Amino acid sequence: MVKRLIKNILTMTAGTLGLSVIKRGEKKLIVLMYHRVMPVDDARYQREEPGMVVSDSTFAMHMQTLRDEKWPVMRVSDWLEQPETSRSPLTIAITFDDGWLDNYQYAFPVLKKFNFPSTLYVVTDFLGKPAPFWPNRVLSLLLADNVRMTDAWKPLLELIGQNISVPMSRDDAAKIIDDLKQYSDDAIYTALSHIPLSKNAAVEMISFEQLMDAKATMGVEIGCHTRRHYRLKEGLDSRLLHEEIIQAKTILEKQTGGPVTTFCFPNGDFSDDAYDMVKAHYSAAVTTRRGINSARNLNPHKLLRIGVHNDISNTPMKFKAKLSGLL
Ligand SMILES: [Zn+2]
């Protein structure tokens, strides 16, 4: 009870005082980071990790809050191009990572209504596919109750390195996914490639046609989030680095017929080489580092963001407290 009271007071303080302090001094840019947006009763919502999703009604409330506060909403690239003197005290940019179909279904129509621009960072090889990220795939394999571990599982089981039986509990599956992170994405995807996708796996990523519609009619800028969502960590082979950063940009530009100038680091990871390559080929890049951008800390290729998900932002005050960067 007392704990909750203290928490509420902290939220109120951050959401009011904290934000008013932020609006003083140097001009600020808050880059919001969203992943998935959909109704709570959507089956996909139930399967997703809580940290990855906001409900459609929470998202609409966020947008209404931005409108009520009269903060300008602008794309990152447009803010960067503005001279410091013409910038507003506080500007908001809206970004979505990965290219989920639900963004097109539930978030973009809301943005269109508010006339807010945004940036969607897509993974080029995954357009129009079922959820292809390896943690999602491993999770669905380990949780499904009608799966048979055939010989095709051998390479994956070798990486897992222990005897398992499926289906297993969500917690046990989460532990296995955590353990698998010690291997390179390439090794994990190669192991998974032996196991055929279930025939009734629904498409969960935005298609090329939807992407073009979002660009043409919903104010969505297309940014690059690599070819296969490989973490661009130290030790990644230079051929793969080239494919993930440069080839992905070329593919996307060819497909969409326009320049692709902004990049998003998968998982927020980058080696020095990855950073240098991104800097040489893109005019801006976003990270998962939490914070607010201003002239004092501004690095256009390491932009800070504020991640929002449902549990921490489902009232206007909680949302504003989150924007303050203090909580
Ligand atoms: Zn991502």
PDB file of all heavy atoms in Angstrom, residues 184-199:
ATOM      1  N   SER A 184      26.163 -17.414 -32.191  1.00  0.00           N
ATOM      2  CA  SER A 184      25.901 -16.339 -33.151  1.00  0.00           C
ATOM      3  C   SER A 184      24.525 -16.558 -33.763  1.00  0.00           C
ATOM      4  O   SER A 184      24.021 -17.691 -33.817  1.00  0.00           O
ATOM      5  CB  SER A 184      26.961 -16.340 -34.244  1.00  0.00           C
ATOM      6  OG  SER A 184      26.774 -17.453 -35.079  1.00  0.00           O
ATOM      7  N   ASP A 185      23.920 -15.456 -34.226  1.00  0.00           N
ATOM      8  CA  ASP A 185      22.611 -15.567 -34.880  1.00  0.00           C
ATOM      9  C   ASP A 185      22.707 -16.499 -36.074  1.00  0.00           C
ATOM     10  O   ASP A 185      21.798 -17.277 -36.345  1.00  0.00           O
ATOM     11  CB  ASP A 185      22.137 -14.186 -35.335  1.00  0.00           C
ATOM     12  CG  ASP A 185      21.910 -13.262 -34.161  1.00  0.00           C
ATOM     13  OD1 ASP A 185      21.011 -13.537 -33.361  1.00  0.00           O
ATOM     14  OD2 ASP A 185      22.659 -12.274 -34.022  1.00  0.00           O
ATOM     15  N   ASP A 186      23.840 -16.416 -36.786  1.00  0.00           N
ATOM     16  CA  ASP A 186      24.026 -17.234 -37.980  1.00  0.00           C
ATOM     17  C   ASP A 186      23.956 -18.720 -37.618  1.00  0.00           C
ATOM     18  O   ASP A 186      23.293 -19.504 -38.297  1.00  0.00           O
ATOM     19  CB  ASP A 186      25.391 -16.888 -38.586  1.00  0.00           C
ATOM     20  CG  ASP A 186      25.409 -17.120 -40.082  1.00  0.00           C
ATOM     21  OD1 ASP A 186      24.362 -16.882 -40.715  1.00  0.00           O
ATOM     22  OD2 ASP A 186      26.452 -17.561 -40.602  1.00  0.00           O
ATOM     23  N   ALA A 187      24.624 -19.108 -36.523  1.00  0.00           N
ATOM     24  CA  ALA A 187      24.624 -20.512 -36.094  1.00  0.00           C
ATOM     25  C   ALA A 187      23.210 -20.962 -35.726  1.00  0.00           C
ATOM     26  O   ALA A 187      22.785 -22.070 -36.073  1.00  0.00           O
ATOM     27  CB  ALA A 187      25.565 -20.683 -34.907  1.00  0.00           C
ATOM     28  N   ILE A 188      22.471 -20.092 -35.052  1.00  0.00           N
ATOM     29  CA  ILE A 188      21.127 -20.474 -34.608  1.00  0.00           C
ATOM     30  C   ILE A 188      20.179 -20.586 -35.804  1.00  0.00           C
ATOM     31  O   ILE A 188      19.428 -21.551 -35.932  1.00  0.00           O
ATOM     32  CB  ILE A 188      20.579 -19.478 -33.561  1.00  0.00           C
ATOM     33  CG1 ILE A 188      21.538 -19.409 -32.365  1.00  0.00           C
ATOM     34  CG2 ILE A 188      19.179 -19.884 -33.100  1.00  0.00           C
ATOM     35  CD1 ILE A 188      21.277 -18.263 -31.414  1.00  0.00           C
ATOM     36  N   TYR A 189      20.248 -19.591 -36.720  1.00  0.00           N
ATOM     37  CA  TYR A 189      19.373 -19.650 -37.900  1.00  0.00           C
ATOM     38  C   TYR A 189      19.707 -20.858 -38.768  1.00  0.00           C
ATOM     39  O   TYR A 189      18.814 -21.491 -39.338  1.00  0.00           O
ATOM     40  CB  TYR A 189      19.470 -18.358 -38.721  1.00  0.00           C
ATOM     41  CG  TYR A 189      18.635 -17.232 -38.160  1.00  0.00           C
ATOM     42  CD1 TYR A 189      19.224 -16.065 -37.691  1.00  0.00           C
ATOM     43  CD2 TYR A 189      17.250 -17.338 -38.091  1.00  0.00           C
ATOM     44  CE1 TYR A 189      18.460 -15.032 -37.161  1.00  0.00           C
ATOM     45  CE2 TYR A 189      16.474 -16.312 -37.559  1.00  0.00           C
ATOM     46  CZ  TYR A 189      17.085 -15.162 -37.094  1.00  0.00           C
ATOM     47  OH  TYR A 189      16.320 -14.155 -36.574  1.00  0.00           O
ATOM     48  N   THR A 190      20.988 -21.191 -38.869  1.00  0.00           N
ATOM     49  CA  THR A 190      21.377 -22.356 -39.669  1.00  0.00           C
ATOM     50  C   THR A 190      20.778 -23.623 -39.054  1.00  0.00           C
ATOM     51  O   THR A 190      20.212 -24.468 -39.749  1.00  0.00           O
ATOM     52  CB  THR A 190      22.916 -22.455 -39.759  1.00  0.00           C
ATOM     53  OG1 THR A 190      23.402 -21.209 -40.258  1.00  0.00           O
ATOM     54  CG2 THR A 190      23.354 -23.564 -40.684  1.00  0.00           C
ATOM     55  N   ALA A 191      20.880 -23.744 -37.727  1.00  0.00           N
ATOM     56  CA  ALA A 191      20.314 -24.920 -37.053  1.00  0.00           C
ATOM     57  C   ALA A 191      18.801 -24.988 -37.278  1.00  0.00           C
ATOM     58  O   ALA A 191      18.238 -26.047 -37.560  1.00  0.00           O
ATOM     59  CB  ALA A 191      20.635 -24.864 -35.562  1.00  0.00           C
ATOM     60  N   LEU A 192      18.155 -23.827 -37.196  1.00  0.00           N
ATOM     61  CA  LEU A 192      16.688 -23.798 -37.350  1.00  0.00           C
ATOM     62  C   LEU A 192      16.247 -24.079 -38.778  1.00  0.00           C
ATOM     63  O   LEU A 192      15.140 -24.572 -39.000  1.00  0.00           O
ATOM     64  CB  LEU A 192      16.155 -22.420 -36.932  1.00  0.00           C
ATOM     65  CG  LEU A 192      15.914 -22.202 -35.450  1.00  0.00           C
ATOM     66  CD1 LEU A 192      15.570 -20.745 -35.195  1.00  0.00           C
ATOM     67  CD2 LEU A 192      14.778 -23.093 -34.936  1.00  0.00           C
ATOM     68  N   SER A 193      17.118 -23.766 -39.731  1.00  0.00           N
ATOM     69  CA  SER A 193      16.721 -23.888 -41.141  1.00  0.00           C
ATOM     70  C   SER A 193      16.403 -25.338 -41.521  1.00  0.00           C
ATOM     71  O   SER A 193      15.739 -25.599 -42.509  1.00  0.00           O
ATOM     72  CB  SER A 193      17.804 -23.333 -42.054  1.00  0.00           C
ATOM     73  OG  SER A 193      18.943 -24.178 -41.983  1.00  0.00           O
ATOM     74  N   HIS A 194      16.884 -26.308 -40.713  1.00  0.00           N
ATOM     75  CA  HIS A 194      16.599 -27.718 -40.998  1.00  0.00           C
ATOM     76  C   HIS A 194      15.159 -28.092 -40.628  1.00  0.00           C
ATOM     77  O   HIS A 194      14.619 -29.053 -41.127  1.00  0.00           O
ATOM     78  CB  HIS A 194      17.566 -28.619 -40.215  1.00  0.00           C
ATOM     79  CG  HIS A 194      18.996 -28.389 -40.608  1.00  0.00           C
ATOM     80  ND1 HIS A 194      19.575 -29.025 -41.683  1.00  0.00           N
ATOM     81  CD2 HIS A 194      19.948 -27.565 -40.097  1.00  0.00           C
ATOM     82  CE1 HIS A 194      20.831 -28.607 -41.806  1.00  0.00           C
ATOM     83  NE2 HIS A 194      21.076 -27.729 -40.858  1.00  0.00           N
ATOM     84  N   ILE A 195      14.567 -27.320 -39.725  1.00  0.00           N
ATOM     85  CA  ILE A 195      13.214 -27.664 -39.251  1.00  0.00           C
ATOM     86  C   ILE A 195      12.196 -26.894 -40.087  1.00  0.00           C
ATOM     87  O   ILE A 195      12.200 -25.666 -40.087  1.00  0.00           O
ATOM     88  CB  ILE A 195      13.049 -27.298 -37.755  1.00  0.00           C
ATOM     89  CG1 ILE A 195      14.192 -27.920 -36.940  1.00  0.00           C
ATOM     90  CG2 ILE A 195      11.681 -27.732 -37.234  1.00  0.00           C
ATOM     91  CD1 ILE A 195      14.205 -27.491 -35.485  1.00  0.00           C
ATOM     92  N   PRO A 196      11.331 -27.608 -40.828  1.00  0.00           N
ATOM     93  CA  PRO A 196      10.383 -26.875 -41.670  1.00  0.00           C
ATOM     94  C   PRO A 196       9.400 -26.073 -40.827  1.00  0.00           C
ATOM     95  O   PRO A 196       9.026 -26.488 -39.730  1.00  0.00           O
ATOM     96  CB  PRO A 196       9.655 -27.978 -42.445  1.00  0.00           C
ATOM     97  CG  PRO A 196      10.104 -29.269 -41.884  1.00  0.00           C
ATOM     98  CD  PRO A 196      11.175 -29.061 -40.880  1.00  0.00           C
ATOM     99  N   LEU A 197       9.001 -24.908 -41.372  1.00  0.00           N
ATOM    100  CA  LEU A 197       8.006 -24.068 -40.698  1.00  0.00           C
ATOM    101  C   LEU A 197       6.666 -24.778 -40.736  1.00  0.00           C
ATOM    102  O   LEU A 197       6.333 -25.412 -41.732  1.00  0.00           O
ATOM    103  CB  LEU A 197       7.850 -22.765 -41.472  1.00  0.00           C
ATOM    104  CG  LEU A 197       8.656 -21.553 -41.033  1.00  0.00           C
ATOM    105  CD1 LEU A 197       8.293 -20.373 -41.916  1.00  0.00           C
ATOM    106  CD2 LEU A 197       8.396 -21.200 -39.577  1.00  0.00           C
ATOM    107  N   SER A 198       5.929 -24.644 -39.678  1.00  0.00           N
ATOM    108  CA  SER A 198       4.601 -25.262 -39.672  1.00  0.00           C
ATOM    109  C   SER A 198       3.755 -24.606 -40.778  1.00  0.00           C
ATOM    110  O   SER A 198       3.820 -23.398 -40.995  1.00  0.00           O
ATOM    111  CB  SER A 198       3.983 -25.082 -38.287  1.00  0.00           C
ATOM    112  OG  SER A 198       2.709 -24.567 -38.384  1.00  0.00           O
ATOM    113  N   LYS A 199       2.980 -25.430 -41.489  1.00  0.00           N
ATOM    114  CA  LYS A 199       2.247 -24.935 -42.669  1.00  0.00           C
ATOM    115  C   LYS A 199       1.213 -23.882 -42.315  1.00  0.00           C
ATOM    116  O   LYS A 199       0.893 -23.018 -43.120  1.00  0.00           O
ATOM    117  CB  LYS A 199       1.573 -26.106 -43.394  1.00  0.00           C
ATOM    118  CG  LYS A 199       2.577 -26.926 -44.163  1.00  0.00           C
ATOM    119  CD  LYS A 199       1.933 -27.685 -45.303  1.00  0.00           C
ATOM    120  CE  LYS A 199       2.969 -28.466 -46.093  1.00  0.00           C
ATOM    121  NZ  LYS A 199       3.782 -29.359 -45.222  1.00  0.00           N
TER     122      LYS A 199
END
